[in-house]
Amino acid sequence: TLPSWPGDRLRRADGVKAVDEVRSKLISYRGRLTYIAASDMRVTSRYGELPLLGAGRWREMGLRLVGRRSVVVSESFARKFRATPGHTLLFDTARGAVPFAVIGEYEDYSSDLGYAFMDIGQYRKYYGDPRLNGIAVYARPGVDLSQLRARVQSVFGGERIVVQSNRDLRLDALAQFDRTFAVTYVLDAIALAVALMGIVATLAALVIERRIELGVLRALGMTARQGEAMIVTEAALLGTMGAGLGTAAGYALAAILVFVINPQAFGWTIAFVATPLYDLQLFGAVVFTAALAGLIPAAAAARVPVAGALRSE
């Protein structure tokens, strides 16, 4: 929690448009760990944007939390406790067991423990807890964020706090995702290299097996260039079949991940979005790469001796 809350001093700081107070607390509900979260809904509903699931707009729903024993719950909380809009949650507070009505559900990927989100006035009223975990400072248009960061830090004096802009936070999150998935890109490259070697090996074996056939075709008038084209075409067809089957398998696995594994493991779903343009580009790249891999066995096919093949026949 924050060491102190300068409140009005921060709200009066130059360049500050609004300040939102944020509190989250780990609790036990029905014998399982989850989070209670709270903020100033008059500010959150105006400047924030919670991605709601189902009907309704966040601004109207956020204002419905002010002064009422109501909460909106995260998707993982709703799945974990089967608490959809219309249900009532009974929380153990400093004033005893207090019922809170669930009026909405929203997307959240910050914790699979789940969140029940209420107005901070209601939280302080029933939990008697004035502490904060964080503060959201909304800047006035045109304000330099680095200067505003310095002013916020000066308000807190020498206390150890972390002040970070939303833009920097987003960039840090994206950088962490990139680092996390960097290993998958390496695995993709390895899989592609193995696939290309497989195409080369398969077609090379076929060229050796079809030496007589290639010799006869050459004797009947097929040129070396036409023989190379035939092998490259076969390689492209292999790539086409692989790309088609891989795309279908990829979508099937993505659907299983999104609609089965994620809800069971984390309690949330992520957006399932088709990418036809990207798939088409990838499809073309795979076919082209497979055709390039066919150049090596194609060159071997062009060097098949006609006379030796005919003597064997």
Side-chain angles (χ1 to χ4, degrees), residues 60 172 193 240 268:
E60 286 80 6
D172 287 347
T240 301
W268 59 57

Side-chain angles (χ1 to χ4, degrees), residues 30-224:
R30 297 181 188 173
R32 305 174 72 180
L33 291 176
T34 188
Y35 282 100
I36 287 285
S39 68
D40 186 346
M41 285 298 163
R42 291 167 297 183
V43 178
T44 308
S45 61
R46 183 176 181 181
Y47 298 104
E49 185 63 45
L50 222 58
L52 296 176
L53 295 170
R57 295 178 57 191
W58 166 240
R59 182 162 188 174
E60 286 80 6
M61 188 166 293
L63 290 175
R64 287 172 57 191
L65 296 175
V66 178
R68 299 178 183 176
R69 292 199 305 267
S70 302
V71 294
V72 291
V73 296
S74 67
E75 184 183 9
S76 54
F77 186 102
R79 289 180 182 274
K80 191 174 183 178
F81 299 106
R82 297 181 180 177
T84 54
H87 284 75
T88 299
L89 307 175
L90 197 62
F91 290 132
D92 291 327
T93 71
R95 294 191 173 190
V98 178
F100 283 82
V102 179
I103 64 171
E105 183 181 346
Y106 68 97
E107 293 179 355
D108 178 78
Y109 305 105
S110 57
S111 174
D112 58 354
L113 294 180
Y115 280 89
F117 199 22
M118 64 180 67
D119 180 58
I120 199 163
Q122 295 295 296
Y123 173 80
R124 288 171 175 166
K125 177 181 178 180
Y126 291 103
Y127 284 89
D129 179 12
R131 295 174 297 174
L132 297 175
N133 298 93
I135 302 167
V137 179
Y138 294 92
R140 295 187 182 278
V143 172
D144 184 90
L145 294 184
S146 60
Q147 295 180 3
L148 181 59
R149 182 187 295 111
R151 284 195 288 270
V152 171
Q153 289 175 327
S154 67
V155 168
F156 281 89
E159 295 174 341
R160 296 182 62 184
I161 62 169
V162 177
V163 183
Q164 192 172 25
S165 71
N166 193 54
R167 181 186 306 151
D168 291 341
L169 182 63
R170 177 181 175 84
L171 290 176
D172 287 347
L174 292 176
Q176 290 186 30
F177 273 107
D178 289 340
R179 286 194 295 270
T180 302
F181 286 99
V183 65
T184 65
Y185 301 143
V186 175
L187 293 175
D188 286 345
I190 294 173
L192 181 59
V194 171
L196 293 179
M197 288 188 291
I199 290 176
V200 172
T202 299
L203 292 176
L206 286 176
V207 167
I208 295 173
E209 184 180 334
R210 296 162 60 189
R211 286 170 59 87
I212 297 175
E213 175 191 341
L214 292 171
V216 171
L217 290 174
R218 289 287 305 279
L220 292 175
M222 185 179 73
T223 64

